[in-house]
Amino acid sequence: IEQPTFPKITEMCVKMIRRVNDEEGIKKLVNETFQKLWFTPTPHHDKEAMTRKILNITDVVAACRDTGYDWFEQLLQNLLKSEEDASYKPVKKACTQLVDNLVEHILKYEESLSDSDNKGVNSGRLVACITTLFLFSKIRPQLMVKHAMTMQPYLTTKCSTQNDFMVICNVAKILELVVPLMEHPSETFLATIEEDLMKLIIKYGMTVVQHCVSCLGAVVNKVTQNYKFVWACFNRYYGALSKLKNQHQEDPNSTILTANKPALLRSLFTVGALCRHFDFDQEDFKGSSKVNIKDKVLELLMYFTKHSDEEVQTKAIIGLGFAFIQHPSLMFEQEVKTLYNSILSDKNCSVNLKIQVLKNLQTYLQEEDTRMQQADRDWKKVAKQEDLKEMGDISSGMSSSIMQLYLKQVLEAFFHNQSSVRHFALNVIALTLNQGLIHPVQCVPYLIAMGTDPEPSMRNKADQQLVEIDKKYAGFIHMKAVAGMKMSYQVQQAINTCPKDPVRGFRHDESSSALCSHLYSMIRGNRQHRRAFLISLLNLFDDTAKTEVNMLLYIADNLACFPYQTQEEPLFIMHHIDITLSVSGSNLLQSFKESMVKDKKKERKPSSDEETESDSNSGSGSDSEEEASKPRRLRKRVDSDSDSDEENDINAVMKCLPENSAPLIEFANVSQGILLLLMLKQHLKNLCGFSDSKIQKYSPSESAKVYDKAINRKTGVHFHPKQTLDFLRSDMANSKITEEVKRSIVKQYLDFKLLMEHLDPDEEEEDGEVSASTNARNKAITSLLGGGSPKNNAAETEDDESDGEDRGGGTSGVRRR
């Protein structure tokens, strides 16, 4: 306002106006700013200010050509609504001024265009002006009524560039809204419009045909009732289709068909478009004929959906989509259900066809929504006189039944690797939920999954839907949270372009945030829900849950990167990790021991009596004092064991391995879950800087206030479970076992065993014992997680080597396969 010539004004306006749907405070600011800037009446003599204003608005409209104009409509609606009941209406006055001046502007441009050669720049401005007029007409069509005659000649624009087509389409859209509001328009004016539109329909491409048929629909149905004119056009294309169908039936490979392909495509599209806007089963069209037109059209279009050429199939499906808007009941036909569902659920079906089916459903729902809003407005006018409640219910009942037919297949389309398919599927689901056509609970896990999409616009849309559902139905999100996490893993698997790389659960950008962080932030506010959710996730790591390793990695990634805010959250997780470790760990060791070959035990005793003792101890699971103290005496010795002794242990166990290597692989597989939990605990400990004693003192039953302090996150701490990544990359579960791999698994088993013996820190009273036992535990953890530690370098290097060989063995196994 202060500096109207500043070059960045357009860019600033675009950025501001996009915030028109933000929270109340920002919305209010945006509305006030633009009311001052654009929607305050300009004094009549100040032509310069008016021109500036018009250039500014059209620049902003032009800049937003690709992102859509919802914001402009929203802004206009907000401003006009705010002064509905006021006696002085500045916004309305400003809009009238703007529209009148825009029309003047366009006429001036026309003159300058005919004089100048520089058509490119100016025609861009012309498109922006006409688009702006359309946006005004959309919100307040009355503003344009007096200019309708001026706009009509633009339908005869010579089309050579993209801009020319834009002009025609926008003029058609303006006339469609404005002509029905004109009082006593002249016959010649209407006849000219009809003829111009018909010429355009016959001559130009899809977009033009669509808008012109739509405009023709408004003019004929609401004003001229010139049904014969439309019927002749319909018959022309319908006849052409019937003829082409008969030719195709006689000889599918006929060359005539190839030559006539453009005509076929145009006929499929135009017949559909005409059926969308005119109900040809009315007597006004077909007269006294008993033929059921809609069924005939359905049969024709369905015939071409089975055509071998994908382009023909697509156009036939577009035509069907149009016909279903006029006659939604056709979507219940068995052949239509089969067609739609098979296209959506068939993995090998072309992406274009999938997208087209989803677009059809989207357009149908949008049209229904517009109809409902219109019915609502009409109803408010007559509401006082009669009870029309049933009217709206019937049509929403129809769209609800239709969506329930196709819902499952639309939701499954989220698992497609093409983002465009996911995009349209999400649009359909959002429309369905906004209109309340289905119970939202069945969509929750799918929306959680879509919240992990790599594209921010899709993530935000899915998250927005979840927030809406959470407002209306508390607890739904939490109820489906774990199912949603599992589903998000499937979505990530589908999107994953490189199958060799394991699916990870955090974003690969500087934030490294968890993919499901929005879900967690929705649940974390309720302590009970949060705890139940975290325990359910940790339970998946249990050896009995039999979760696949990559999914565990994905969940561990999420748990490592969730946006925790208080100390209670990570401490609760670590507490439960300890519980899971003690149960799953001993089960794991027990099953490994049971798989060892019994009769070789005698050979094993001399090599390591300590091992046999602890074996019998953890094997029996007895709590007697005597047995519990046995390994205690040996603990110090374990710590001071020489590496050669460890070598002996490995050799001893190697001798006892069974011929069949399945239990080994099983052990390596199940142990990944436990390794991930160990890594996760270690990561959270480093991330939040907790000491061992703090973790041990924590009790989940203490009052919430004790651990309500905020977390001080350390920067640069990343979760990198090397062992599991190597295990997955080498595809160890399916590879051939070599001696080295066996050795590394046995080494892992012994480290594990050591860890299990020293896992429980509660009974350690004497200082000496605490340090020895803690050392042993830390040594085992370091060794298991493959981290370097000066104390046991020899063991480490050996572990790393075997790890390397294990990877080598694994990859060769993959090649062999």
Side-chain angles (χ1 to χ4, degrees):
I1 295 173
E2 303 293 316
Q3 301 182 331
T5 52
F6 183 61
K8 293 251 183 209
I9 284 186
T10 306
E11 200 181 318
M12 287 154 62
C13 289
V14 170
K15 286 199 163 63
M16 283 191 295
I17 207 162
R18 293 219 178 116
R19 307 288 297 270
V20 74
N21 280 332
D22 258 4
E23 64 249 37
E24 283 307 311
I26 294 177
K27 196 167 161 178
K28 189 164 178 251
L29 271 174
V30 173
N31 287 344
E32 284 168 6
T33 308
F34 283 101
Q35 180 156 4
K36 266 193 207 140
L37 202 59
W38 290 352
F39 297 107
T40 307
T42 313
H44 283 296
H45 56 79
D46 194 350
K47 284 284 176 204
E48 195 189 332
M50 195 67 221
T51 310
R52 255 204 323 267
K53 205 191 267 191
I54 282 188
L55 292 178
N56 181 227
I57 295 180
T58 50
D59 279 340
V60 174
V61 168
C64 291
R65 183 166 160 178
D66 300 328
T67 49
Y69 305 112
D70 303 350
W71 47 265
F72 189 90
E73 296 167 28
Q74 196 59 53
L75 179 71
L76 249 183
Q77 261 166 334
N78 294 349
L79 292 173
L80 287 166
K81 201 170 184 177
S82 63
E83 58 170 38
E84 257 177 4
D85 305 323
S87 52
Y88 174 56
K89 302 188 175 183
V91 177
K92 193 174 174 193
K93 188 174 175 191
C95 287
T96 312
Q97 268 188 356
L98 283 170
V99 167
D100 296 351
N101 277 286
L102 273 165
V103 174
E104 245 174 80
H105 233 74
I106 290 175
L107 296 173
K108 274 191 204 143
Y109 272 135
E110 280 297 286
E111 285 166 28
S112 65
L113 273 183
S114 53
D115 302 339
S116 80
D117 302 324
N118 185 7
K119 290 201 171 166
V121 182
N122 276 341
S123 67
R125 169 76 65 196
L126 180 66
V127 173
C129 287
I130 291 189
T131 309
T132 313
L133 282 177
F134 162 61
L135 294 171
F136 276 112
S137 320
K138 204 169 168 183
I139 305 300
R140 279 282 184 281
Q142 296 82 353
L143 296 171
M144 279 296 292
V145 167
K146 60 181 177 190
H147 301 297
M149 309 281 276
T150 320
M151 299 313 292
Q152 179 264 321
Y154 287 92
L155 287 176
T156 57
T157 308
K158 289 269 181 296
C159 285
S160 51
T161 64
Q162 181 61 37
N163 282 340
D164 298 335
F165 285 116
M166 298 281 291
V167 167
I168 286 191
C169 292
N170 280 316
V171 170
K173 290 194 278 192
I174 292 171
L175 292 174
E176 176 184 344
L177 294 163
V178 174
V179 172
L181 300 178
M182 293 171 73
E183 286 181 26
H184 315 300
S186 78
E187 294 292 320
T188 38
F189 167 68
L190 293 172
T192 318
I193 287 189
E194 286 180 347
E195 272 163 37
D196 290 346
L197 289 170
M198 194 56 79
K199 282 177 195 154
L200 291 168
I201 291 170
I202 290 166
K203 189 171 173 190
Y204 290 116
M206 286 204 315
T207 323
V208 174
V209 170
Q210 211 171 329
H211 294 305
C212 291
V213 171
S214 187
C215 182
L216 191 64
V219 173
V220 172
N221 289 328
K222 295 178 183 167
V223 189
T224 63
Q225 266 92 43
N226 188 355
Y227 298 122
K228 296 262 182 304
F229 184 64
V230 180
W231 179 242
C233 175
F234 170 74
N235 269 322
R236 168 180 177 168
Y237 287 110
Y238 177 81
L241 266 189
S242 300
K243 192 171 157 193
L244 287 164
K245 176 190 165 188
N246 296 336
Q247 283 173 347
H248 187 261
Q249 274 173 327
E250 281 164 25
D251 176 11
N253 304 321
S254 148
T255 47
I256 306 172
L257 285 170
T258 326
N260 287 337
K261 186 177 159 185
L264 171 60
L265 296 177
R266 173 176 287 281
S267 303
L268 286 167
F269 186 84
T270 314
V271 163
L274 287 165
C275 286
R276 172 180 177 171
H277 296 284
F278 300 98
D279 182 359
F280 291 111
D281 281 317
Q282 288 177 356
E283 267 186 38
D284 300 320
F285 287 106
K286 63 175 184 181
S288 55
S289 160
K290 289 280 181 286
V291 181
N292 188 333
I293 304 285
K294 69 170 191 278
D295 292 349
K296 286 278 181 205
V297 170
L298 177 69
E299 183 192 334
L300 256 183
L301 292 173
M302 284 302 292
Y303 177 79
F304 286 105
T305 59
K306 299 175 186 62
H307 198 281
S308 55
D309 184 332
E310 189 186 307
E311 214 181 333
V312 175
Q313 284 180 300
T314 310
K315 285 286 188 292
I317 290 173
I318 294 177
L320 280 173
F322 286 153
F324 296 157
I325 291 171
Q326 178 72 255
H327 305 287
S329 58
L330 293 176
M331 280 196 259
F332 295 115
E333 295 286 334
Q334 189 52 52
E335 51 180 342
V336 176
K337 280 195 291 198
T338 314
L339 174 75
Y340 270 22
N341 285 339
S342 65
I343 288 176
L344 289 176
S345 53
D346 180 6
K347 292 262 186 301
N348 306 320
C349 189
S350 106
V351 173
N352 291 339
L353 295 180
K354 279 186 199 292
I355 291 177
Q356 196 47 60
V357 167
L358 291 166
K359 273 186 183 170
N360 282 359
L361 291 169
Q362 178 185 323
T363 316
Y364 164 68
L365 290 170
Q366 285 164 336
E367 284 288 309
E368 272 304 301
D369 198 35
T370 318
R371 265 186 227 175
M372 300 292 275
Q373 286 174 358
Q374 188 53 49
D376 224 34
R377 284 194 287 273
D378 298 347
W379 158 231
K380 281 194 176 115
K381 290 176 195 163
V382 294
K384 297 185 177 60
Q385 297 134 29
E386 49 198 322
D387 178 14
L388 292 176
K389 182 178 176 299
E390 288 77 32
M391 267 179 55
D393 290 352
I394 294 167
S395 59
S396 66
M398 168 82 86
S399 38
S400 174
S401 319
I402 287 171
M403 279 325 294
Q404 308 218 356
L405 276 184
Y406 300 110
L407 181 69
K408 188 170 182 337
Q409 280 73 15
V410 173
L411 288 170
E412 294 294 326
F414 283 174
F415 303 124
H416 200 280
N417 56 1
Q418 291 279 346
S419 67
S420 44
V421 176
R422 300 196 302 275
H423 170 79
F424 285 107
L426 184 58
N427 283 353
V428 172
I429 295 301
L431 284 164
T432 311
L433 287 169
N434 293 340
Q435 294 178 32
L437 303 178
I438 51 167
H439 196 297
V441 77
Q442 50 202 333
C443 296
V444 171
Y446 291 92
L447 288 169
I448 292 172
M450 276 310 276
T452 66
D453 198 280
E455 293 190 23
S457 58
M458 312 240 270
R459 285 205 293 274
N460 298 341
K461 190 164 189 170
D463 292 347
Q464 192 57 46
Q465 293 296 326
L466 284 173
V467 171
E468 292 296 319
I469 291 174
D470 197 41
K471 273 186 207 159
K472 290 183 197 155
Y473 310 90
F476 268 18
I477 308 295
H478 156 250
M479 192 161 84
K480 293 287 184 187
V482 178
M485 283 276 288
K486 288 181 177 173
M487 217 168 255
S488 69
Y489 168 68
Q490 292 173 309
V491 166
Q492 291 305 315
Q493 258 186 326
I495 297 170
N496 188 12
T497 44
C498 177
K500 271 222 160 67
D501 279 343
V503 173
R504 300 302 302 269
F506 58 83
R507 295 218 162 81
H508 297 283
D509 53 19
E510 62 284 353
S511 70
S512 291
S513 55
L515 289 179
C516 297
S517 54
H518 180 259
L519 169 69
Y520 182 75
S521 52
M522 286 180 78
I523 291 177
R524 73 165 292 283
N526 179 325
R527 187 177 175 197
Q528 194 184 350
H529 285 177
R530 177 180 77 224
R531 288 184 159 190
F533 173 58
L534 291 172
I535 287 178
S536 310
L537 290 183
L538 290 171
N539 284 345
L540 296 172
F541 290 84
D542 193 325
D543 55 332
T544 51
K546 298 272 186 282
T547 317
E548 62 170 297
V549 177
N550 197 346
M551 189 192 271
L552 291 179
L553 171 68
Y554 175 79
I555 288 169
D557 278 339
N558 273 290
L559 285 166
C561 304
F562 273 156
Y564 303 116
Q565 289 179 10
T566 60
Q567 293 184 355
E568 204 273 339
E569 299 163 56
L571 282 170
F572 179 79
I573 292 176
M574 292 194 263
H575 175 80
H576 274 275
I577 286 178
D578 283 344
I579 296 173
T580 312
L581 281 178
S582 60
V583 177
S584 289
S586 43
N587 289 350
L588 186 62
L589 292 177
Q590 182 61 30
S591 58
F592 188 82
K593 263 179 287 196
E594 283 169 5
S595 73
M596 285 190 198
V597 184
K598 297 278 191 300
D599 57 4
K600 293 192 180 173
K601 269 203 175 160
K602 293 187 184 73
E603 292 168 31
R604 218 172 92 208
K605 267 193 181 147
S607 72
S608 161
D609 51 351
E610 166 262 329
E611 191 192 320
T612 335
E613 273 210 77
S614 59
D615 251 21
S616 63
N617 169 250
S618 49
S620 68
S622 142
D623 286 12
S624 72
E625 294 279 313
E626 188 191 357
E627 282 207 280
S629 63
K630 261 187 201 168
R632 179 66 59 83
R633 265 180 251 122
L634 298 160
R635 275 180 190 172
K636 288 178 190 135
R637 220 200 93 200
V638 171
D639 214 33
S640 56
D641 249 357
S642 66
D643 291 322
S644 64
D645 224 4
E646 184 167 337
E647 260 315 293
N648 291 341
D649 282 357
I650 292 181
N651 292 333
V653 179
M654 287 290 280
K655 285 179 191 163
C656 301
L657 293 179
E659 299 296 312
N660 175 9
S661 54
L664 269 183
I665 294 280
E666 175 67 11
F667 172 81
N669 214 348
V670 177
S671 63
Q672 293 307 321
I674 295 176
L675 281 173
L676 278 169
L677 288 182
L678 275 172
M679 273 302 281
L680 178 61
K681 183 179 171 187
Q682 212 65 10
H683 168 78
L684 292 173
K685 195 171 146 184
N686 298 341
L687 182 71
C688 310
F690 293 139
S691 64
D692 277 341
S693 62
K694 173 138 194 168
I695 299 169
Q696 273 148 35
K697 281 181 191 146
Y698 170 78
S699 156
S701 52
E702 266 184 75
S703 82
K705 290 193 178 62
V706 183
Y707 297 108
D708 248 358
K709 298 182 192 115
I711 293 176
N712 299 326
R713 283 170 180 270
K714 305 247 187 326
T715 50
V717 179
H718 295 296
F719 183 63
H720 182 71
K722 179 174 170 297
Q723 300 250 24
T724 306
L725 289 170
D726 291 343
F727 175 85
L728 287 166
R729 284 187 186 127
S730 65
D731 194 22
M732 194 163 165
N734 300 312
S735 56
K736 194 164 171 35
I737 283 220
T738 60
E739 278 302 303
E740 290 83 10
V741 178
K742 280 188 182 177
R743 203 170 185 79
S744 75
I745 294 178
V746 169
K747 168 81 175 65
Q748 202 184 5
Y749 161 69
L750 290 171
D751 283 334
F752 232 67
K753 196 149 137 296
L754 189 61
L755 175 71
M756 291 311 297
E757 285 160 21
H758 299 279
L759 192 63
D760 195 11
D762 298 349
E763 311 151 2
E764 298 160 3
E765 294 98 14
E766 300 163 38
D767 291 351
E769 287 201 343
V770 172
S771 60
S773 180
T774 310
N775 278 344
R777 180 166 76 244
N778 290 345
K779 177 181 171 184
I781 289 179
T782 322
S783 185
L784 270 172
L785 302 183
S789 149
K791 245 185 262 172
N792 51 344
N793 267 338
E796 272 316 304
T797 49
E798 191 240 275
D799 189 306
D800 284 349
E801 276 165 30
S802 61
D803 212 311
E805 287 153 351
D806 134 1
R807 243 170 302 162
T811 43
S812 63
V814 176
R815 273 187 224 110
R816 257 191 231 90
R817 255 194 325 156

